[in-house]
Amino acid sequence: YNGGDIPLRNFLFAEPTEKGPLPRAALEADERPLKWVFTVSGDLHGYDEMTKVAVLSALNNTLLTPVCVFTGARGHLNRWLESHGVRMIYHRPKWRARLVSALSLARTLGHDTRSSPLYGDNDKTVATYLRIDVATPGFNDPYILYADVDCIFTGNIRVSDFGVPPPEHFTMGAESSGDLTSLVSDGRRLQLGNAGVMLMNVDGLRRTYDAFVEWLFSEQNLAQGMHFGVYGPGDQGAYNQFYQGRFSVRRWPIFNWKPYWGYTP
């Protein structure tokens, strides 16, 4: 009744199900619309139209429930989102000042827009990093879909689209086309995903949130300009490194398909 499963019932009546290989909570989550959570900064310009297109495509082509985690100045965009029924969470991250300070240091270390476009704009970086907080505001859902606003939804998305079993922490979309979802470094095969599309296990990310944020904004990572070497820059690189071995990458369907990858039906 509250958007989530009922733990006592699952504990008492956790008999095998004939509906499929998904556990009961995941089966129930698969049968109801996912919440699509995205992040927006009111201090950014040039993303309003992109955000509107993403929201309208979700409303017209899917059963997703859009939820916006919004930071920064309020104005036209948040009013438009509210008028279209988007559920709003107004949020100011506690780590904002540390991130902005780290970006200043990163530029002195030579990290610029060639490493990542995020290094060129503090507000854009803060808006992107907001995704690390999206599992914390109090969702009762066992799983939520996170997706950036630079996308168009062409069809509905369900928990089962991200594979079986559902993630303990999260499942990412592919970083590159084809099978380029891993690389070998120091004799280890590392799995890399694109944080632009993620199926998040709310409870799993909530349990690890404090440890992740403490590590993410550690003195060592701040001194490295928030670049995580072979894992990549920014919070995507942080997700890939901190949770390495504890997440999956969905190879097909390839979410977040890029126009320059060519046509696919």
Side-chain angles (χ1 to χ4, degrees):
Y1 69 97
N2 60 0
D5 59 342
I6 303 175
L8 180 59
R9 183 194 59 191
N10 292 344
F11 176 77
L12 292 175
F13 305 106
E15 74 278 359
T17 174
E18 297 179 359
K19 296 177 71 174
L22 287 174
R24 177 187 292 274
L27 278 168
E28 293 177 352
D30 204 46
E31 292 172 354
R32 61 174 175 264
L34 272 171
K35 288 186 174 73
W36 162 43
V37 186
F38 60 97
T39 60
V40 168
S41 171
D43 301 318
L44 278 176
H45 302 288
Y47 280 76
D48 289 17
E49 297 300 318
M50 188 182 299
T51 302
K52 294 176 184 178
V53 168
V55 168
L56 291 175
S57 70
L59 294 175
N60 291 330
N61 301 328
T62 79
L63 298 175
L64 298 171
T65 301
V67 180
C68 175
V69 179
F70 191 99
T71 193
R74 303 187 192 187
H76 164 75
L77 181 56
N78 70 286
R79 290 194 297 269
W80 184 93
L81 292 169
E82 290 176 358
S83 71
H84 283 76
V86 176
R87 302 180 186 186
M88 304 296 292
I89 299 172
Y90 292 99
H91 178 66
R92 182 173 177 84
K94 297 178 180 179
W95 38 259
R96 188 184 192 283
R98 283 183 287 172
L99 177 58
V100 171
S101 176
L103 291 174
S104 297
L105 175 59
R107 294 172 190 125
T108 67
L109 295 174
H111 297 309
D112 54 23
T113 54
R114 291 171 295 180
S115 299
S116 168
L118 298 180
Y119 284 117
D121 190 306
N122 289 349
D123 292 324
K124 185 184 298 184
T125 305
V126 170
T128 301
Y129 272 72
L130 267 185
R131 76 180 129 211
I132 70 177
D133 282 4
V134 300
T136 63
F139 290 104
N140 290 310
D141 310 68
Y143 308 99
I144 57 175
L145 171 71
Y146 171 85
D148 288 340
V149 296
D150 58 342
C151 69
I152 296 175
F153 291 96
T154 61
N156 194 38
I157 298 177
R158 299 167 54 156
V159 170
S160 58
D161 291 323
F162 286 85
V164 177
E168 180 182 355
H169 295 96
F170 56 85
T171 298
M172 284 182 167
E175 168 66 6
S176 303
S177 61
D179 196 34
L180 300 179
T181 55
S182 64
L183 59 83
V184 176
S185 177
D186 297 329
R188 297 175 300 153
R189 180 166 291 279
L190 307 177
Q191 183 160 251
L192 301 178
N194 186 299
V197 177
M198 305 170 71
L199 180 70
M200 294 180 163
N201 182 318
V202 173
D203 191 47
L205 288 177
R206 192 178 290 146
R207 286 197 309 268
T208 55
Y209 173 80
D210 288 340
F212 180 44
V213 170
E214 181 180 358
W215 171 84
L216 176 57
F217 295 104
S218 65
E219 291 300 323
Q220 178 180 353
N221 287 332
L222 293 175
Q224 294 173 351
M226 307 303 283
H227 195 291
F228 301 91
V230 296
Y231 300 95
D235 63 314
Q236 176 172 297
Y239 271 118
N240 278 300
Q241 181 173 354
F242 184 82
Y243 289 99
Q244 187 63 212
R246 295 184 288 170
F247 67 90
S248 301
V249 175
R250 191 72 167 120
R251 290 177 170 81
W252 188 262
I254 297 183
F255 300 112
N256 221 10
W257 186 270
K258 311 295 193 302
Y260 50 83
W261 287 356
Y263 174 78
T264 178

